[in-house]
């Protein structure tokens, strides 16, 4: 074998090594991006879980929250402030999910679930009143998303099932008396 043939073969193998390295690097970046997306969604779910845990664990706060859902005017100033911060946290978390979904970091199927959840929360008079009078702004994109949800309204998957479970035919018209 001649020296030029060996040099050409070495150059070819070196180029092949660079291509293999670039493919490996691309796969690693793709894997890291998927992990980052998953981590962002997991953080959102953890924030939601913390709110749900508070409502499940703290009887007095759950009572306050339920009253705020149906009749925020019946809350004291301090209670309205608490209700405001819980809704600010809830909507802030939904705003983060909205942003992640718009960047393609949350699959459409999962985001569709959260859109329906948002629409459901907006059926409560206290939540809608809070949204109309919210003390802090949200991003224009998310604000438009919420307004679109209000305009489209909520259509339950199983009409009447929630009311039956809760033991009332008109949850948006009743107030929490005994919880």
């Amino acid at each position: 074998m001649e020296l030029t043939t060996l040099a050409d073969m070495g150059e070819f193998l070196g180029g092949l090594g660079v291509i293999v390295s670039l493919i490996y690097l691309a796969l690693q970046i793709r894997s890291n991006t998927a992990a980052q997306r998953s981590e962002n969604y997991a953080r959102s779910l953890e924030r939601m879980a913390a709110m749900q845990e508070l409502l499940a664990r703290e009887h007095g706060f759950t009572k306050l929250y339920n009253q705020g859902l149906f009749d925020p005017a019946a809350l004291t100033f301090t209670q309205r402030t608490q209700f405001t911060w819980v809704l600010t946290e809830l909507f802030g978390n939904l705003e983060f999910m909205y942003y992640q979904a718009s960047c393609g970091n949350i699959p459409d199927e999962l985001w569709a679930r959260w859109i329906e959840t948002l629409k459901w929360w907006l059926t409560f008079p206290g939540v809608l009143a809070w949204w109309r009078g919210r003390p802090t702004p949200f991003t224009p994109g998310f604000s438009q998303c919420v307004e679109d949800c209000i305009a489209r309204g909520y259509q339950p998957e199983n009409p009447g099932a929630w009311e039956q479970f809760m033991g009332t035919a008109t949850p948006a018209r009743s107030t929490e008396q005994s919880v």
Side-chain angles (χ1 to χ4, degrees):
M1 237 186 232
E2 290 189 29
L3 193 56
T4 57
T5 304
L6 287 174
D8 288 344
M9 193 179 295
E11 192 174 314
F12 173 76
L13 291 174
L16 191 60
V18 168
I19 290 171
V20 168
S21 295
L22 288 174
I23 290 171
Y24 176 75
L25 180 61
L27 291 173
Q28 289 298 314
I29 289 171
R30 183 181 215 178
S31 175
N32 186 43
T33 301
Q36 187 66 36
R37 288 176 181 166
S38 179
E39 177 64 26
N40 284 338
Y41 187 59
R43 283 190 10 236
S44 293
L45 292 179
E46 287 171 4
R47 288 176 63 187
M48 286 291 200
M51 287 180 56
Q52 291 168 344
E53 179 185 354
L54 176 67
L55 287 166
R57 186 175 22 115
E58 299 293 333
H59 176 77
F61 187 72
T62 303
K63 187 174 181 178
L64 174 150
Y65 187 75
N66 286 340
Q67 184 67 49
L69 290 176
F70 297 109
D71 186 15
L75 298 175
T76 67
F77 182 81
T78 300
Q79 290 171 328
R80 276 192 226 183
T81 302
Q82 286 179 293
F83 186 66
T84 291
W85 285 119
V86 169
L87 290 180
T88 300
E89 176 65 18
L90 172 66
F91 277 71
N93 196 31
L94 289 167
E95 180 181 40
F96 179 75
M97 286 187 198
Y98 167 82
Y99 175 76
Q100 292 299 314
S102 67
C103 291
N105 295 337
I106 295 177
D108 291 342
E109 182 179 29
L110 287 175
W111 177 237
R113 173 206 176 213
W114 289 106
I115 283 289
E116 291 305 307
T117 300
L118 174 59
K119 288 179 188 177
W120 180 72
W121 280 115
L122 289 165
T123 65
F124 293 94
V127 175
L128 190 56
W130 171 83
W131 175 255
R132 294 287 183 228
R134 63 193 177 279
T136 58
F138 288 89
T139 59
F142 179 69
S143 294
Q144 186 59 55
C145 174
V146 173
E147 292 299 327
D148 291 346
C149 286
I150 293 167
R152 285 193 305 262
Y154 175 68
Q155 299 300 317
E157 192 173 36
N158 297 316
W162 174 249
E163 292 81 359
Q164 182 180 1
F165 172 75
M166 294 301 289
T168 177
T170 57
R173 306 273 187 256
S174 66
T175 59
E176 182 93 8
Q177 298 297 327
S178 61
V179 173

